[in-house]
Amino acid sequence: MRYAELYERSVTDPQSYWAEQAQLIDWHAPFSQVLDASRPPFAKWFVGGQTNLCHNAIDRWLETQGDLPALIAVSTETADAAPAEKIYSFRELHAEVQRSAAIMLSLGVTRGDRVLIYMPMIAEATIAMLACARIGAIHSVVFGGFAANSLATRIDDARPKLVVSADAGSRNGKAIPYKPLLDDAIRLAKHQPRHVLLVDRGLAPMTLVQGRDLDYASLREQHLDAQVPVTWLESNEISYILYTSGTTGIPKGVQRDVGGYAVALASSMQTIFCGKPGEVYFSTSDIGWVVGHSYIVYGPLIAGMATIMYEGLPVRPDAGIWWSMVEKYRVTRMFSAPTAVRVLKKQAPEFMKKYDLSSLKALYLAGEPLDETTSQWISSALGVPVIDNYWQTESGWPILSIARGTDDSPTRLGSPGVPMPGYKVRVIDESTGDTCAANRKGVVVIDWPLPPGCMQTVYGDDARYVDTYWSRFGGQQVYSTFDWGIRDEDGYYFILGRTDDVINVAGHRLGTREIEESISSHPNVSEVAVVGVEDKLKGQVAVAFVVPRNADAVATPQARQAFEAEVMGVVDRQLGTVARPARVHCIGLLPKTRSGKLLRRAIQAICEGRDAGDLTTIEDPASLQQIRAALAG
Ligand code: AMP
């Protein structure tokens, strides 16, 4: 079927479209209702149906391809010479996940309990996620680059019974201890997990807390023959919580269901990613992000593909490492982010010619705007189509892309494409709520109901879900993506940046408020503003402007430099290096309106060398001069 027809059907007759897509997965008990639309803006998909993500990812494939690879874990961090590799067939993964599930059960984790996973990119992380899914426990994976305070906030919100972690991650060949950060986080948190299960990689020493901390390897030995049957879950039970940044300093727990998510992923693997059982999928993301959840772990496995989990940099030991894996494992579909491609672009292009990349059919890029130069460079270097796709932690799978599995609709440079099945996307005028004419800028919104796979709610806070996402345009039931965009006359969308205070650094979403709160805890910080500033490599970087309490303490260039390093250290310790600002400037005054509102957009404009815009409400124009002077100095 052609894209246009398929899309039309998905939005005019969603019930029949999704009932049909639901046949792509296994159901233990059929659903009685495709969509329960009785409580907008909430939506329940496949009501009454019983299924399980782990069953669909593993058990379902045992009979037909039990001995084919399922999980290929590669690390260039822990091996000096050749990359370390561990391949699990579907059968081996099945056994390993049951061991992990048996350990969790033995620690009292049951259906509906939360398990927080704070892990580097090692096989045990994926195994723990699948083990949770198997027994109906709710996982919440926290990206390894986050530090104690970020972790503590998430522990308090998710209230996990168990935390699964490791002694250390590794970056650029250097161990990054996780355990001390985790200990600090648990100390800071009000909620105390009953147990911490630790994978000891032998990278960093660990001090175990008696009675709480347990060694994974020893417990695994006790459960080698474990047989843990799948727990069948009603489609709308919770599969996971994944925290993401928003306008406030408190991250939101994006909550996802079981059945809708499984169907959406299975459907997207056909319509967008064209994955076939027995093929190999390689996503360079991290399991701490939504791409990792959907397209490292669940999506490829649900489609019967092997998935590669890679721990390491794209340029170590050299810029050919990804392509050597494409050759070795005969990867057919690859998923990455524009920043990673820009990093590779700085390296010599011969690495792409060195390897046999004939298995590769397409490269998918997402997470941040894809500039035309990067897109054209990588597409001609690889000789395969590059498919931009736009989505969010909240949506769980692409909102805009090109449905390669339907027809060969052309891509359009600079555009992530057209709406994917079930997404009723529009661009609306922020003040009137009216749909914008073609090529007019507005807010990208989606009409209710969101298709299967999208967030159910904010974990534990339905009101926050409704207020944040659905109440922005005078009662109109539209979901706001918080992105500006335009739709051209042919229906292609262009994304023009966030409408809120969220910034996007190398495809990682960060809340400027969170960073500001962290910086404020430095004793010599009186006020701070953090803005996202355009960056050639990373898309955006965070830049902080600080008003010190004691200006004399930062009077000399040396003192300012030391202060900048200290502030960065505070962010590293509290939030993690991922949130560290690229620069910290000292100024005497922040630009604000007369009512005291920070003029973030004006600061950002000055940083990017643009006009500062309408400044009629500014309290003291001299503050802008201070920003300019700080940047010049
Ligand atoms: P996250 O929830 O971390 O995946 O971040 C989602 C945000 O990243 C979106 O709201 C956009 O601002 C941005 N984003 C994701 N994919 C794209 C894309 N293909 N083009 C432009 N921006 C994107």
Side-chain angles (χ1 to χ4, degrees):
M1 195 186 278
R2 300 190 61 76
Y3 159 76
E5 254 173 81
L6 187 91
Y7 177 72
E8 193 53 28
R9 234 196 94 204
S10 77
V11 291
T12 51
D13 192 2
Q15 308 248 0
S16 93
Y17 177 81
W18 288 112
E20 198 179 281
Q21 296 297 305
Q23 303 316 310
L24 293 170
I25 67 158
D26 273 0
W27 293 91
H28 178 67
F31 43 90
S32 52
Q33 199 182 5
V34 179
L35 169 66
D36 173 357
S38 61
R39 198 166 72 101
F42 298 90
K44 286 181 165 182
W45 288 97
F46 311 116
V47 182
Q50 288 181 15
T51 186
N52 182 288
L53 281 164
C54 181
H55 166 87
N56 278 288
I58 305 176
D59 302 46
R60 185 178 176 215
W61 301 105
L62 290 176
E63 206 177 290
T64 49
Q65 51 184 69
D67 296 320
L68 289 187
L71 178 64
I72 303 172
V74 180
S75 176
T76 49
E77 288 292 339
T78 49
D80 288 335
E85 164 201 276
K86 179 102 181 67
I87 300 182
Y88 299 82
S89 65
F90 280 90
R91 211 176 306 289
E92 285 161 341
L93 189 59
H94 186 236
E96 211 52 62
V97 165
Q98 292 186 84
R99 289 169 193 144
S100 179
I103 297 174
M104 290 183 189
L105 289 174
S106 76
L107 299 176
V109 176
T110 54
R111 183 175 189 159
D113 284 339
R114 275 81 54 213
V115 174
L116 189 135
I117 299 176
Y118 180 60
M119 297 274 265
M121 283 288 285
I122 55 175
E124 287 82 352
T126 293
I127 291 165
M129 289 168 76
L130 290 162
C132 287
R134 190 167 192 86
I135 61 174
I138 300 165
H139 59 67
S140 182
V141 183
V142 178
F143 175 59
F146 284 124
N149 286 49
S150 309
L151 203 45
T153 326
R154 287 154 175 81
I155 290 174
D156 277 337
D157 195 75
R159 286 169 286 112
K161 200 178 248 183
L162 172 71
V163 174
V164 186
S165 190
D167 57 340
S170 177
R171 196 173 161 79
N172 210 2
K174 271 206 243 39
I176 300 172
Y178 277 26
K179 179 65 166 54
L181 291 180
L182 181 59
D183 286 341
D184 280 353
I186 297 177
R187 216 169 291 129
L188 287 169
K190 287 186 209 71
H191 172 86
Q192 295 296 297
R194 219 186 265 172
H195 290 293
V196 176
L197 188 58
L198 291 150
V199 176
D200 189 352
R201 311 175 71 192
L203 294 179
M206 284 194 282
T207 318
L208 298 189
V209 174
Q210 275 289 321
R212 186 195 74 185
D213 297 352
L214 303 160
D215 176 52
Y216 185 82
S218 343
L219 287 178
R220 180 181 172 276
E221 285 299 309
Q222 296 170 22
H223 295 282
L224 286 179
D225 301 321
Q227 298 212 334
V228 178
V230 156
T231 300
W232 298 108
L233 303 169
E234 198 278 334
S235 181
N236 290 279
E237 286 184 55
I238 309 172
S239 61
Y240 69 74
I241 308 162
L242 180 57
Y243 289 89
T244 190
S245 304
T247 302
T248 66
I250 309 150
K252 291 186 286 272
V254 168
Q255 174 186 316
R256 217 170 307 283
D257 69 356
V258 176
Y261 187 51
V263 170
L265 291 182
S267 171
S268 71
M269 287 306 294
Q270 283 209 341
T271 318
I272 306 168
F273 299 101
C274 320
K276 299 206 177 50
E279 291 183 354
V280 181
Y281 195 94
F282 177 20
S283 163
T284 67
S285 182
D286 186 287
I287 48 146
W289 306 114
V290 70
V291 177
H293 283 61
S294 295
Y295 298 110
I296 293 178
V297 181
Y298 293 113
L301 292 173
I302 286 175
M305 300 176 85
T307 185
I308 297 180
M309 234 187 137
Y310 172 58
E311 181 189 43
L313 301 178
V315 290
R316 190 174 174 272
D318 59 47
I321 179 67
W322 282 0
W323 316 115
S324 72
M325 287 194 273
V326 170
E327 176 183 280
K328 180 168 184 194
Y329 304 112
R330 308 293 299 154
V331 171
T332 60
R333 306 277 156 179
M334 192 167 162
F335 193 131
S336 192
T339 294
V341 175
R342 286 191 288 265
V343 168
L344 288 178
K345 195 165 150 233
K346 291 173 97 181
Q347 310 279 324
E350 70 257 19
F351 285 110
M352 268 136 154
K353 304 214 172 70
K354 235 169 110 174
Y355 298 96
D356 173 10
L357 305 180
S358 57
S359 60
L360 194 65
K361 301 279 190 307
L363 172 69
Y364 296 82
L365 296 176
E368 55 181 313
L370 172 62
D371 56 288
E372 300 183 9
T373 337
T374 304
S375 175
Q376 279 170 326
W377 175 78
I378 188 76
S379 176
S380 62
L382 292 175
V384 299
V386 169
I387 319 280
D388 189 357
N389 54 116
Y390 159 84
W391 47 299
Q392 314 179 302
T393 307
E394 288 86 345
S395 72
W397 62 287
I399 299 169
L400 300 171
S401 188
I402 295 293
R404 300 279 308 177
T406 56
D407 55 28
D408 278 342
S409 302
T411 55
R412 187 159 293 187
L413 277 179
S415 161
V418 294
M420 290 298 94
Y423 286 108
K424 291 182 275 186
V425 186
R426 286 193 290 145
V427 174
I428 67 169
D429 182 293
E430 194 188 16
S431 42
T432 63
D434 296 337
T435 303
C436 293
N439 298 314
R440 292 295 290 267
K441 179 176 167 181
V443 181
V444 179
V445 299
I446 307 169
D447 283 323
W448 181 80
L450 299 180
C454 293
M455 77 188 288
Q456 294 179 292
T457 186
V458 171
Y459 180 67
D461 200 344
D462 282 354
R464 190 171 177 202
Y465 171 65
V466 177
D467 293 347
T468 308
Y469 296 104
W470 296 90
S471 304
R472 273 172 50 93
F473 306 101
Q476 235 191 104
Q477 290 286 22
V478 289
Y479 167 88
S480 173
T481 62
F482 293 96
D483 279 304
W484 297 111
I486 57 170
R487 178 183 183 273
D488 72 10
E489 53 287 339
D490 299 323
Y492 284 81
Y493 284 76
F494 294 79
I495 302 296
L496 307 171
R498 297 280 301 194
T499 64
D500 58 6
D501 296 329
V502 165
I503 61 173
N504 193 319
V505 179
H508 297 163
R509 175 166 158 185
L510 300 169
T512 47
R513 295 273 166 87
E514 265 174 283
I515 307 176
E516 286 170 1
E517 277 175 25
S518 170
I519 293 178
S520 298
S521 70
H522 185 288
N524 195 22
V525 172
S526 157
E527 281 187 288
V528 55
V530 171
V531 294
V533 177
E534 209 172 79
D535 180 81
K536 277 208 169 62
L537 186 68
K538 298 181 170 181
Q540 275 188 315
V541 290
V543 173
F545 292 89
V546 170
V547 180
R549 272 183 210 287
N550 174 4
D552 294 342
V554 291
T556 64
Q558 290 85 345
R560 275 197 294 278
Q561 221 173 18
F563 178 65
E564 177 169 21
E566 271 178 40
V567 167
M568 288 181 179
V570 167
V571 176
D572 284 0
R573 279 192 301 282
Q574 295 189 357
L575 302 180
T577 45
V578 66
R580 181 199 298 168
R583 283 303 314 270
V584 178
H585 297 287
C586 290
I587 54 171
L589 182 70
L590 285 172
K592 289 190 185 162
T593 62
R594 269 171 241 126
S595 56
K597 211 167 159 268
L598 190 63
L599 286 163
R600 259 174 228 283
R601 272 169 231 279
I603 305 177
Q604 188 187 31
I606 293 173
C607 291
E608 294 179 349
R610 291 182 283 115
D611 183 66
D614 178 13
L615 294 170
T616 43
T617 58
I618 195 165
E619 166 90 29
D620 184 349
S623 55
L624 295 180
Q625 203 37 47
Q626 293 212 12
I627 302 266
R628 285 193 192 95
L631 291 169

